[in-house]
Amino acid sequence: MTTHLPLAAAASQTSLWMFLAFVAATLVITWYSARKSSGASAYFAAGRRITGWQNGLAVAGDYMSAASFLGIAGMIAMNGYDGFMYSVGFLVAYLTVLFIVAEPLRNAGKYTMADVLAYRLKPRPVRAAASLSTLTVSIFYMIAQMVGAGVLVRQLIPGVSYEIAVIGVGILMVVYVVFGGMLATTWVQIIKAILLMGGSILLSILVLQRYDFDLGKFFASLTAISSTTADGQTVTRNFLTPGLVFKNPWDQISLGMALLLGTAGLPHILIRFYTVPDAKTARASVVWAMLIIGLFYIMTTFFGFGAASLLGPDHIAANGGTNMAAPELARFLGGEIFFAFICAVAFATILAVVAGLTISASTSFAHDFFVNVLHHGREHAPGEEVRVARITAFVVGAASIAIAILLGPTVNVAFLVGLAFAVAASANLPVMVFSLFWKRFNTAGAVGGLLTGLASGIILILVSPDFMKNPLFPLKNPALVSVPLGFLGAWLGTMLSREQPDEAKFTELMVRANTGLGAEKASPH
C-alpha cells in the first residue's frame, strides 16, 4: 500500500531541503573563507579584494532584507500606496550614499565609520560613542530579520515553533561571522541576491500574466479592494489612494526622511565600502547596487499590489499575517513547490542580512571600543582584535535572539527597519557630514551629535503611537524631529566647546577623502 504526503507537507519538506542546500553551500564557502581569513584585514574587510560588481551584489544583498521582501510586500498588500512609499524611500536613499558617503568613507577609513570620525578628532570618546550607535542600530535591524525568520518557519514547517526558528537562524549567522569573516559574509550575500532577484522576477511575471501583461488592467484592479474591519464590517478601499496608513502627512514626510538619510548611516552598508580596493571601485559598486535594488523595488510593486488584488487583505491576515503576503502569493500563482522556493529564498535573505549586521557590530566593538578605546590603539597579543570580534558576534547574536523572541511574531518587519533607519539617520549621518565637510567641527560636536541623535531617536520611538496607547509623540517614525536634533546636538557641542579644530588634519582628511592619497590598500593574495 502506497501512502502520499499531503501537498502542503510535501512543500514543507521541499522548502526545507532547498534551504538546507543553501545552508550547506554557504557553510562550504565559510570553511573556504576561514582558511583565507588570517589577519585583521582579511577578517574585517575581505582583504579589500572584492570587485565592483561583486560588492554591488553584496551591498544589494545586504540591503534587500526580510523587511524588503516580506515586510514591504505585506505593507503594500495590506495598505496599498502608503506601503509603496517604503519602496520609493529605500531606493532613493542610495543617492545619498553615492554622492556623499561612498568615496570619502573608502578613502579615509580602515574598517568602520568611526575611523573617519577619529581621523581629525580625539579618537577615544568618538570611537566609544560611534561603537554604541553602531551596536544599537545593528541590533534594531537584526531583530526585524529574526522576527521574519520566525514567522516564515512557523508558517512553513508544522511543529517548529517561532522561538526555535529564531534560535536556529541566530546560530547559523554566528557560524558565518565567527569562522568566515567578511569574505564568507560577502559571498553569502552575493548568492542570496542572485536567488532573490530570480524569485522576484518570476513572481512578478506570474502576477502580470494574470492581467495579460496589461498594466492598465493591473492597476484598475486595485481601485476596489475589499477587506473586513476589526468590528466585522466589510469595507472597499482604493489602494492607489494615499492616506490608508499615513493619515497625517507629517508621518509620511518623517518616514521619507528616515529612509532617505538613514541608508548613509547604516553600519552594515558602510563597512561594505572597505572591502573594495579603491574609491573608484566603491563608486562602481554603488551604481551596481542601485541598478539591482532599483529593479527589485519596482518588482515589489507587482507582488505587493498583486497580493492585494489576487488574494485580498483578509486572506493574507488569515494565513500568516502581513509578512507572509509574498510567499502566499507564490503559493497561489505557482503552487506548493514555488511557495517552497520563495520561502527558501526568504530564509536565505534573512541569513545573509543578519550575517552582515553581526559582522558590522562585532567589527565596531572590537576595532573601535576594545582596541582603540580600552587599549589606546594597541593589541596586547597578535590576533586579539579578531578574537574579540568573534566573541562579540556570539553576544550580539544572543541579544538579538532574546529580543526577537520577546517581541514575538506579530510586529511588522518593515516597520522595525524603518525605526532602525531613523536612528541611523539621527545619530550617524550628522556627524559623518560634519566631519567630512565642516572645518570647525570637533570632538565634543561628534560625541554630542551621536548621543543626541541616538537618545532622541530611541526615546521618541518609545513614546510614539506604535508603542503607547496614549502617545506623547504623535508621529509613527521619529526622523522628522530626531534628525534635526542630531544635527543640532553636533552643532551645539562644537560651538559650546573650547576645543580648537586641527586645521592641518582637516586639510589632510579632505585631500585623502577626495584623492585616495594614503588610503588603505588591498592586501596581497
Side-chain angles (χ1 to χ4, degrees):
M1 181 178 173
T2 306
T3 58
H4 296 280
L5 285 169
L7 205 55
S12 295
Q13 287 198 0
T14 305
S15 180
L16 186 59
W17 283 112
M18 287 178 180
F19 177 60
L20 290 176
F22 172 82
V23 170
T26 51
L27 286 176
V28 170
I29 291 168
T30 303
W31 171 78
Y32 177 76
S33 302
R35 299 170 62 198
K36 293 180 169 290
S37 291
S38 58
S41 177
Y43 184 82
F44 293 129
R48 308 186 204 282
R49 295 197 303 267
I50 305 299
T51 65
W53 71 267
Q54 289 171 345
N55 199 46
L57 267 171
V59 169
D62 240 343
Y63 201 62
M64 295 184 302
S65 64
S68 302
F69 189 53
L70 301 177
I72 292 177
M75 292 195 88
I76 295 173
M78 302 297 276
N79 304 300
Y81 178 88
D82 284 6
F84 173 66
M85 291 308 296
Y86 275 87
S87 285
V88 175
F90 281 134
L91 174 57
V92 174
Y94 256 88
L95 294 174
T96 317
V97 179
L98 179 63
F99 291 125
I100 297 177
V101 172
E103 183 176 355
L105 189 80
R106 172 60 188 86
N107 284 338
K110 188 175 183 181
Y111 299 136
T112 67
M113 170 191 77
D115 287 332
V116 179
L117 305 180
Y119 195 92
R120 67 185 184 98
L121 308 174
K122 292 177 183 175
R124 294 184 74 197
V126 166
R127 286 188 186 276
S131 184
L132 176 65
S133 174
T134 296
L135 286 166
T136 304
V137 172
S138 297
I139 289 174
F140 250 111
Y141 208 110
M142 206 180 305
I143 292 162
Q145 314 307 315
M146 297 294 205
V147 170
V151 169
L152 263 178
V153 175
R154 189 185 63 173
Q155 188 72 9
L156 183 68
I157 306 171
V160 176
S161 68
Y162 169 80
E163 291 78 10
I164 295 298
V166 168
I167 292 168
V169 170
I171 291 170
L172 273 172
M173 79 176 178
V174 169
V175 168
Y176 292 145
V177 173
V178 168
F179 295 105
M182 179 57 87
L183 185 60
T185 303
T186 298
W187 279 102
V188 168
Q189 287 157 344
I190 289 170
I191 294 169
K192 162 260 169 130
I194 293 168
L195 287 173
L196 182 59
M197 289 301 291
S200 299
I201 290 168
L202 183 54
L203 190 55
S204 298
I205 289 170
L206 289 175
V207 168
L208 290 175
Q209 190 178 41
R210 287 281 174 147
Y211 298 94
D212 304 317
F213 298 96
D214 183 340
L215 290 179
K217 189 188 293 186
F218 171 66
F219 286 113
S221 72
L222 301 168
T223 56
I225 302 293
S226 297
S227 61
T228 306
T229 61
D231 57 3
Q233 299 294 315
T234 300
V235 294
T236 301
R237 300 177 294 172
N238 183 348
F239 265 36
L240 299 180
T241 303
L244 298 181
V245 175
F246 301 115
K247 302 189 185 303
N248 177 356
W250 294 108
D251 261 329
Q252 208 155 342
I253 294 168
S254 192
L255 173 65
M257 182 181 286
L259 300 182
L260 180 62
L261 303 178
T263 304
L266 288 176
H268 69 295
I269 298 295
L270 297 180
I271 65 166
R272 292 237 53 89
F273 298 118
Y274 294 122
T275 65
V276 295
D278 50 46
K280 180 181 178 182
T281 314
R283 288 196 306 274
S285 63
V286 176
V287 174
W288 273 103
M290 286 176 68
L291 291 172
I292 297 162
I293 291 164
L295 178 59
F296 173 76
Y297 283 122
I298 288 170
M299 290 188 292
T300 61
T301 309
F302 297 126
F303 49 79
F305 281 129
S309 177
L310 296 170
L311 301 178
D314 289 348
H315 176 91
I316 296 165
N319 289 274
T322 310
N323 296 326
M324 286 299 291
E328 283 297 319
L329 179 65
R331 192 203 299 268
F332 177 78
L333 293 172
E336 296 294 338
I337 301 302
F338 189 42
F339 170 72
F341 172 72
I342 290 296
C343 286
V345 167
F347 280 136
T349 295
I350 291 163
L351 271 180
V353 174
V354 293
L357 289 161
T358 305
I359 198 165
S360 72
S362 57
T363 299
S364 179
F365 182 83
H367 178 65
D368 293 327
F369 190 75
F370 184 81
V371 171
N372 284 289
V373 175
L374 296 184
H375 294 120
H376 302 272
R378 294 185 300 275
E379 290 183 292
H380 283 171
E384 186 178 42
E385 188 175 21
V386 173
R387 190 162 57 253
V388 170
R390 287 174 166 151
I391 294 168
T392 306
F394 278 107
V395 176
V396 168
S400 303
I401 289 168
I403 298 169
I405 290 173
L406 192 66
L407 282 177
T410 55
V411 64
N412 181 272
V413 290
F415 163 72
L416 277 177
V417 166
L419 300 184
F421 271 69
V423 175
S426 307
N428 296 345
L429 185 69
V431 295
M432 284 286 291
V433 170
F434 280 159
S435 185
L436 289 169
F437 301 109
W438 186 22
K439 185 186 291 186
R440 175 78 174 80
F441 193 54
N442 61 24
T443 306
V447 174
L450 283 164
L451 296 183
T452 303
L454 194 61
S456 62
I458 292 171
I459 290 168
L460 292 175
I461 286 168
L462 293 176
V463 298
S464 71
D466 288 298
F467 281 82
M468 294 183 73
K469 287 185 178 178
N470 298 305
L472 302 176
F473 179 69
L475 302 179
K476 292 175 179 288
N477 192 295
L480 188 62
V481 175
S482 60
V483 171
L485 283 176
F487 276 100
L488 181 63
W491 180 80
L492 279 176
T494 301
M495 300 309 291
L496 297 176
S497 169
R498 294 182 180 180
E499 178 191 350
Q500 292 302 307
D502 188 334
E503 294 192 9
K505 272 288 185 184
F506 177 74
T507 304
E508 190 180 315
L509 175 63
M510 284 295 93
V511 171
R512 181 164 170 167
N514 289 295
T515 67
L517 188 66
E520 295 287 331
K521 303 297 181 187
S523 61
H525 283 274

